[in-house]
Amino acid sequence: MNIIWHEKTKQFHLFNDEISYIIAVNPVGELGNLYYGKRINDKEDMSYVVNRFGLAQVAVDADTETYSMELNRQEYPSFGTTDFGTSAFEVEISNGSKVSSFVYKDHKIYKGKQPLEGLPATYADDSEAMTLEIYLEDVVAKTTLALSYTLFNRYPVVTRHAKFTNIGPSKVKLTKALSACLDLPDQNYQWMQFSGAWARERTPIVKNLGPGSVSIESKRGISSANQNPFVIVKRPNTDDFIGEAIGFSFVYSGNFLAQAEGDTFGRMRVLMGINPDRFTWILEKGQSFETPEVVIAYSDSGLNYLSQTYHSLYNNNLVRGKWKNTPRPILINNWEATFMDFDEEKILKIASKAKEAGIELFVLDDGWFGDRDDDFAGLGDWVENPKKLPQGIPGLARKIESLGMKFGFWIEPEMVNPDSNLYRKHPEWALSTPGRKASLGRHQMVLDYSRPEVVDYIYGMLHKIISNAPISYIKWDMNRSLTEVYSADIPAEQQGMVYHRYVMGVYSLYERLRNDFPDILFESCSSGGNRFDAGMLYYAPQAWCSDNTDAIDRIRIQYGTSYGYPVSSIGAHVSAVPNQQTGRTTSIETRANVAYFGTFGYELDLNHVSHEEFELVKSQVQFMKEYRQLFQFGTFYRLRSPFEADQAAWIVVSEDKEKAIFGFYCMRSNVTMLPGFLKLDGLSADKVYVLNDEEYFGDELMNLGVTLTKLSNNGLSTGQDFISYVEVLEAKK
Ligand code: DGJ
């Protein structure tokens, strides 16, 4: 890994064993991109890449009239001169002009990586990464810009963000401040986005790119289930196993924009950052604005490798604290078992039975506080309901602990019901626009987390409960989009800052609670997977993946999620059948076989399963205890896509390739097809693996494949839907 500055040619070359990123100061002093991709040798002068001929309509260098932005790849394109593509930012000055030209001034190269202020970001020590900060200035706007690039040593990854500072006497207005732009030299790419809705999160969708724009965005105040802030730009032939791909992952949990734009000269621009729609940021004299981070990863060997890069980077350089690389406790959550209809006795009965099965953590979901018997009331009043919990959270937590389990509970701290003491006292603390009716979602409003006093108040209430009880886990929910976004306490010109300040408020509360209670495992949640993003993983190392707990739907949801996020982050539970969302009945084996490839837990009352099923649950819990390190932190490969067929498969392989576990799922039986073969991946070619007492070479399993008739139950020929297999492979000593 190195970052070289070629003083004479004014070119930077960032490279590690896998990638090269070459940036140059262009003829007018702004930054251009010369190369991004597979590692190439370092050369002092790569300026032959720059186009200097007269095809362009307008040139920006008045002297020779041979340089135009629109014929050259930009690094962080500005608005208003000769780049007619989408700009990465807009700075509006007091005369109303947004034209800008940020010119190279200086730079700094250092080992390691600096944290971003108040924002989640990947981190690295001096041996893990190097950082380049390039300082630019617009003399008319009297604003400086620092572009940061961190190159990781062991990953084909560069992270980027930008920081604007007003160094003049008058205020300036940022009306757009994206985090990263990558201009690519051709348009032979496809765009892959992860779209969906509640209960159908992160479906991969592929589109061809060419001239014109393709984009996804969120305007909901959260990253959303509708579009995930992660996209892949790939070659048309790239699949999970072969081909070139570039990933863009936004370490942010609010409104975002991701866009690919092909111009008429064959250039492809990819942009990512905070959605400029509904964003303005006022910079008074001396003030700065720092954008969140984008993680750009490269693969020339397929999407599995790209995903593995994100998995490993996020496990090692994004997740922090006690739960970093720590296998997760097997939990039981009472939500689908009781909803809000419970009391302490009922909860203890569920917990006792779970303990008998070997489950380690009990999670009390929604309904324990305020007047919360249904979803019309109570949010905002974080005090226990004595009718349900006579000795409060501390009493219940201690009883659960005396059973030999850990205890955790659910909160939704960003919300308030109009029917709550908090709202009656502070209606102005809810986001709403003067003179307009507030839209409700699940009968609740969103608290104005852009106001520090609101965050302080909620912090005080939660801190009190958590510090009075043995709490090991918190599920932090968030169940509606932001609407009528307006903060009562700030001037009109600052209203465009509220969305981002809201997100910063959420991050600040997470950070305070994490600092106060570093051992607590946080799980983020937002009506299931509405805020499943890299930003959240910095605070909460796992996220409830979806409210859809149906095993068959979950195969697709978890498969789609795996493109950008590690198995260790995917909250997955075995729930009751018929499934509450789909009405589908699947076996308890299949439900567990899907949930193993996640954080694993149960979401049902085990008092209500048959004796045989309970015995199976016991063995599932044992099995997960034995293999959770491998499931959650092994190298994960997608093998067969449920979006392309009625079957799905994936595998996790240990680092030393001595052990592997694959999951194979038949979503619909097909009586006339031969069972066929499943090609595995990631094994050591020459090792001999034992599978169901038979021996196979690694290369045999990866090229010929596993003969499906060799699986227990004789492969697929039982004529039943929803059959699945999870099989362990061990290398022979
Ligand atoms: C939505 C979550 O996704 C569910 O798991 C559950 O916690 C409910 N909210 C509780 O209101």
Side-chain angles (χ1 to χ4, degrees):
M1 155 184 76
N2 205 353
I3 298 178
I4 296 180
W5 164 238
H6 294 291
E7 172 89 53
K8 213 164 112 202
T9 53
K10 295 202 170 358
Q11 290 171 17
F12 297 97
H13 187 178
L14 301 81
F15 60 89
N16 62 19
D17 289 345
E18 294 177 87
I19 53 166
S20 280
Y21 194 141
I22 305 179
I23 300 164
V25 176
N26 74 21
V28 288
E30 297 187 35
L31 291 185
N33 178 284
L34 299 188
Y35 177 75
Y36 171 80
K38 204 176 157 98
R39 161 79 190 269
I40 56 175
N41 280 302
D42 182 57
K43 259 169 93 177
E44 178 163 36
D45 190 3
M46 302 288 287
S47 58
Y48 65 87
V49 174
V50 175
N51 280 317
R52 300 201 69 146
F53 51 85
L55 200 77
Q57 253 191 348
V58 279
V60 71
D61 60 331
D63 317 339
T64 63
E65 286 196 30
T66 59
Y67 183 82
S68 170
M69 304 278 194
E70 70 171 322
L71 297 184
N72 286 286
R73 305 205 293 277
Q74 305 303 313
E75 236 346 87
Y76 194 64
S78 52
F79 167 81
T81 69
T82 60
D83 184 287
F84 298 95
T86 301
S87 65
F89 66 95
E90 286 173 1
V91 183
E92 189 179 305
I93 59 175
S94 53
N95 65 7
S97 166
K98 289 186 178 182
V99 176
S100 53
S101 172
F102 279 86
V103 167
Y104 171 81
K105 283 275 161 209
D106 201 359
H107 70 269
K108 193 160 102 186
I109 295 170
Y110 55 88
K111 287 184 180 159
K113 185 175 192 286
Q114 292 297 318
L116 277 70
E117 210 179 312
L119 282 166
T122 55
Y123 56 88
D125 66 26
D126 288 3
S127 68
E128 290 175 306
M130 284 180 82
T131 298
L132 163 66
E133 284 177 12
I134 308 179
Y135 309 113
L136 307 114
E137 185 179 332
D138 184 314
V139 287
V140 178
K142 298 195 174 46
T143 302
T144 61
L145 167 63
L147 293 180
S148 296
Y149 300 78
T150 294
L151 169 75
F152 278 79
N153 188 18
R154 18 183 305 238
Y155 302 111
V157 165
V158 171
T159 65
R160 290 191 53 180
H161 71 278
K163 184 175 180 177
F164 292 87
T165 304
N166 177 358
I167 55 164
S170 353
K171 73 174 90 164
V172 295
K173 205 199 275 179
L174 291 174
T175 52
K176 181 196 238 180
L178 300 182
S179 298
C181 169
L182 188 65
D183 277 1
L184 298 164
D186 72 83
Q187 298 178 357
N188 187 26
Y189 285 105
Q190 287 181 330
W191 167 268
M192 200 169 175
Q193 65 189 49
F194 300 87
S195 308
W198 174 79
R200 180 172 44 82
E201 293 89 344
R202 291 171 294 285
T203 301
I205 292 174
V206 175
K207 296 171 181 169
N208 290 329
L209 293 177
S213 286
V214 168
S215 68
I216 55 158
E217 63 178 352
S218 168
K219 293 192 258 206
R220 296 170 176 271
I222 45 177
S223 47
S224 90
N226 309 74
Q227 306 292 356
N228 193 265
F230 170 61
V231 295
I232 298 170
V233 171
K234 68 179 195 70
R235 295 297 183 187
N237 70 332
T238 299
D239 61 18
D240 278 332
F241 311 99
I242 55 149
E244 193 181 31
I246 309 168
F248 298 82
S249 174
F250 197 25
V251 191
Y252 188 63
S253 312
N255 290 345
F256 74 92
L257 171 73
Q259 182 179 333
E261 180 180 63
D263 69 8
T264 49
F265 299 109
R267 198 174 48 163
M268 174 60 63
R269 171 165 295 170
V270 185
L271 298 144
M272 184 175 252
I274 292 180
N275 200 335
D277 191 353
R278 290 146 221 232
F279 169 87
T280 46
W281 202 267
I282 310 291
L283 288 179
E284 302 286 352
K285 181 181 166 195
Q287 287 183 338
S288 297
F289 177 80
E290 194 167 31
T291 73
E293 171 171 287
V294 169
V295 178
I296 305 174
Y298 178 81
S299 168
D300 72 340
S301 47
L303 300 178
N304 274 327
Y305 185 62
L306 190 78
S307 300
Q308 288 156 11
T309 297
Y310 282 108
H311 297 174
S312 185
L313 180 76
Y314 287 172
N315 279 330
N316 290 296
N317 297 83
L318 181 65
V319 168
R320 299 171 294 165
K322 174 175 170 182
W323 294 100
K324 171 174 169 170
N325 287 322
T326 306
R328 305 299 154 70
I330 298 172
L331 66 79
I332 186 150
N333 176 304
N334 71 305
W335 178 244
E336 289 198 15
T338 65
F339 295 107
M340 296 183 208
D341 179 18
F342 61 80
D343 56 21
E344 194 180 81
E345 199 187 327
K346 208 173 190 180
I347 292 299
L348 288 172
K349 225 174 130 205
I350 297 174
S352 306
K353 193 70 182 171
K355 171 65 193 167
E356 221 184 290
I359 293 172
E360 300 159 309
L361 166 71
F362 183 87
V363 178
L364 181 66
D365 212 282
D366 192 356
W368 56 266
F369 52 90
D371 281 334
R372 187 85 170 157
D373 291 323
D374 52 38
D375 51 22
F376 282 87
L379 288 171
D381 299 338
W382 298 107
V383 280
E384 298 94 324
N385 178 340
K387 282 189 258 137
K388 290 182 180 172
L389 304 180
Q391 289 146 351
I393 288 283
L396 177 62
R398 277 193 275 275
K399 284 179 192 153
I400 300 275
E401 287 236 324
S402 68
L403 292 175
M405 294 172 92
K406 298 285 179 201
F407 177 79
F409 68 124
W410 176 99
I411 54 174
E412 195 180 0
E414 296 154 71
M415 297 293 152
V416 65
N417 284 114
D419 184 3
S420 66
N421 294 334
L422 178 61
Y423 187 78
R424 282 183 279 274
K425 196 163 160 211
H426 282 295
E428 78 287 3
W429 281 7
L431 289 171
S432 70
T433 305
R436 297 188 189 279
K437 255 182 119 174
S439 308
L440 295 181
R442 210 192 182 198
H443 324 293
Q444 64 201 47
M445 294 173 79
V446 184
L447 285 171
D448 182 357
Y449 265 45
S450 74
R451 296 175 68 159
E453 67 273 32
V454 177
V455 178
D456 285 349
Y457 175 84
I458 298 291
Y459 165 77
M461 294 198 101
L462 294 176
H463 185 274
K464 196 166 153 209
I465 297 184
I466 301 168
S467 49
N468 281 330
I471 305 298
S472 301
Y473 163 106
I474 287 179
K475 177 177 174 186
W476 177 319
D477 206 348
M478 196 290 180
N479 283 306
R480 56 158 291 181
S481 304
L482 277 57
T483 57
E484 293 89 27
V485 172
Y486 182 92
S487 182
D489 204 31
I490 53 170
E493 65 168 13
Q494 288 183 22
Q495 293 298 334
M497 302 164 86
V498 178
Y499 276 106
H500 180 60
R501 280 189 178 160
Y502 175 89
V503 179
M504 298 295 276
V506 173
Y507 289 153
S508 74
L509 182 58
Y510 255 118
E511 193 64 9
R512 283 164 86 176
L513 293 174
R514 278 194 80 260
N515 286 338
D516 294 351
F517 308 104
D519 289 348
I520 288 183
L521 171 62
F522 283 88
E523 176 154 351
S524 75
C525 174
S526 181
S527 297
N530 235 320
R531 199 163 59 178
F532 201 123
D533 56 62
M536 277 292 133
L537 294 185
Y538 187 67
Y539 305 97
Q542 58 191 59
W544 183 226
C545 186
S546 176
D547 274 347
N548 187 342
T549 56
D550 171 75
I552 301 307
D553 281 4
R554 263 305 184 105
I555 295 168
R556 292 200 186 88
I557 296 169
Q558 292 175 212
Y559 205 92
T561 304
S562 78
Y563 282 89
Y565 305 98
V567 172
S568 62
S569 70
I570 297 178
H573 299 168
V574 173
S575 63
V577 288
N579 180 268
Q580 292 185 353
Q581 290 78 33
T582 62
R584 188 180 282 136
T585 296
T586 53
S587 69
I588 197 130
E589 290 97 328
T590 286
R591 280 172 275 156
N593 284 347
V594 178
Y596 289 139
F597 289 83
T599 58
F600 198 70
Y602 291 82
E603 185 139 348
L604 74 177
D605 186 346
L606 291 172
N607 292 296
H608 298 154
V609 302
S610 68
H611 175 71
E612 294 73 42
E613 282 183 325
F614 188 67
E615 290 306 308
L616 283 170
V617 168
K618 280 190 192 157
S619 59
Q620 291 169 351
V621 170
Q622 265 321 104
F623 177 71
M624 190 58 182
K625 283 181 182 168
E626 189 176 345
Y627 290 108
R628 58 184 148 183
Q629 176 77 40
L630 178 54
F631 276 119
Q632 292 166 1
F633 301 100
T635 308
F636 177 88
Y637 295 80
R638 289 174 297 273
L639 299 174
R640 194 168 284 185
S641 172
F643 298 101
E644 285 162 19
D646 287 331
Q647 298 177 347
W650 46 38
I651 187 170
V652 282
V653 183
S654 65
E655 206 179 337
D656 59 9
K657 298 180 189 278
E658 289 288 305
K659 278 192 186 149
I661 306 181
F662 68 87
F664 176 73
Y665 310 87
C666 175
M667 293 140 90
R668 245 165 33 127
S669 75
N670 191 330
V671 285
T672 56
M673 289 292 283
L674 289 171
F677 303 89
L678 173 68
K679 289 185 186 181
L680 305 184
D681 207 342
L683 304 175
S684 168
D686 298 327
K687 282 193 193 286
V688 173
Y689 292 91
V690 181
L691 166 63
N692 290 332
D693 297 329
E694 296 198 30
E695 294 181 5
Y696 305 89
F697 282 109
D699 58 2
E700 193 182 344
L701 293 170
M702 293 192 290
N703 294 293
L704 189 156
V706 175
T707 312
L708 292 173
T709 47
K710 288 282 180 195
L711 299 178
S712 41
N713 233 350
N714 207 17
L716 304 179
S717 54
T718 60
Q720 272 178 267
D721 290 339
F722 321 138
I723 303 170
S724 65
Y725 307 88
V726 163
E727 306 278 0
V728 177
L729 297 168
E730 289 206 33
K732 238 178 115 184
K733 293 281 177 265

